[in-house]
Amino acid sequence: ETGVTQTPRHLVMGMTNKKSLKCEQHLGHNAMYWYKQSAKKPLELMFVYSLEERVENNSVPSRFSPECPNSSHLFLHLHTLQPEDSALYLCASSQEWGAGSPLHFGNGTRLTVT
Amino acid sequence: AQSVTQLDSHVSVSEGTPVLLRCNYSSSYSPSLFWYVQHPNKGLQLLLKYTSAATLVKGINGFEAEFKKSETSFHLTKPSAHMSDAAEYFCVVSAGTGGYNKLIFGAGTRLAVHP
């Protein structure tokens, strides 16, 4: 059973909709991440939060807006998305904020933009 | 700069035969290396990690990997494949810079296991 829970598991939205993805970790970790997984592409890091402070924004378009209200919760707010944004969005957490600390992933949200 | 190359996009084996998934890395620093597995409709799960201790690393489900600095390789092996091993496998190198945990993922190797 994963210690990182993502909701919803599936989401279909139109290009003018606004929706949010939610991630919750039950592991007591200090860092949380959003990744994008598209077909035939390596995983892309989107955002990193450490102790609720954003420490990485990997050139992500502004139509993706992260929020980390506390160390256990992470949101990804979506608006005015494009069809190419359809992908699996993975949340992860890690104990330490530094190299060598393995990530624990949720099962992802499968997003389809129509 | 750090990078990772998984040499095979697809590997197919018969149940009960050995598994070899190949990974080469490039790193300016002493790297941390990981293998993750992803089953269909699931997130990634850590199989094993290397962080400059023993060069032969044992992981879950009978998998192991050997760090070879001279060959810049970190190949994943298992003596006997099981049907449940069918999944996608990712080799990952940790960038180790900037103070945060930036991982560089390989493109993945899809493992098929046939009866």
Side-chain angles (χ1 to χ4, degrees):
Chain A
E1 182 65 37
T2 179
V4 179
T5 304
Q6 289 187 245
T7 54
R9 290 298 312 274
H10 301 273
L11 178 63
V12 179
M13 59 186 289
M15 290 164 47
T16 58
N17 291 159
K18 289 186 180 181
K19 296 285 185 184
S20 296
L21 310 185
K22 179 182 176 182
C23 175
E24 182 174 2
Q25 59 102 355
H26 314 277
L27 301 168
H29 288 171
N30 292 324
M32 296 187 76
Y33 311 76
W34 280 115
Y35 279 87
K36 177 183 179 182
Q37 186 176 32
S38 304
K40 302 186 188 304
K41 283 187 175 182
L43 251 67
E44 300 172 56
L45 177 64
M46 300 176 71
F47 301 104
V48 181
Y49 277 82
S50 175
L51 298 172
E52 303 150 46
E53 179 182 346
R54 190 192 307 179
V55 295
E56 173 80 352
N57 177 349
N58 207 23
S59 302
V60 180
S62 59
R63 58 186 183 269
F64 295 91
S65 175
E67 178 190 2
C68 187
N70 54 62
S71 59
S72 299
H73 293 86
L74 185 65
F75 295 89
L76 187 62
H77 303 301
L78 315 171
H79 64 96
T80 325
L81 294 192
Q82 304 298 311
E84 60 264 28
D85 297 322
S86 298
L88 182 67
Y89 288 84
L90 292 165
C91 174
S93 68
S94 66
Q95 177 65 54
E96 300 167 4
W97 186 56
S101 182
L103 299 184
H104 295 253
F105 285 85
N107 286 332
T109 294
R110 174 72 61 188
L111 174 67
T112 303
V113 181
T114 60
Chain B
Q2 283 72 31
S3 67
V4 60
T5 302
Q6 292 184 242
L7 300 172
D8 307 291
S9 58
H10 292 83
V11 171
S12 182
V13 301
S14 298
E15 190 176 20
T17 64
V19 175
L20 170 63
L21 305 183
R22 299 182 295 163
C23 173
N24 286 350
Y25 71 90
S26 170
S27 177
S28 306
Y29 307 88
S30 180
S32 294
L33 293 158
F34 309 81
W35 276 98
Y36 285 82
V37 61
Q38 185 177 30
H39 289 92
N41 300 314
K42 297 286 188 182
L44 281 71
Q45 180 185 16
L46 180 68
L47 273 180
L48 51 81
K49 67 173 181 176
Y50 166 79
T51 54
S52 74
T55 56
L56 182 62
V57 182
K58 293 188 184 299
I60 61 172
N61 301 334
F63 284 94
E64 61 182 38
E66 186 172 7
F67 174 72
K68 292 187 176 181
K69 186 175 181 180
S70 60
E71 299 177 11
T72 61
S73 69
F74 190 58
H75 300 336
L76 181 71
T77 60
K78 183 174 180 177
S80 176
H82 192 272
M83 296 296 289
S84 61
D85 295 328
E88 187 145 23
Y89 292 78
F90 295 91
C91 182
V92 184
V93 62
S94 177
T97 60
Y100 60 85
N101 199 17
K102 184 169 184 176
L103 303 183
I104 309 297
F105 284 78
T109 297
R110 186 165 298 278
L111 175 66
V113 182
H114 302 287

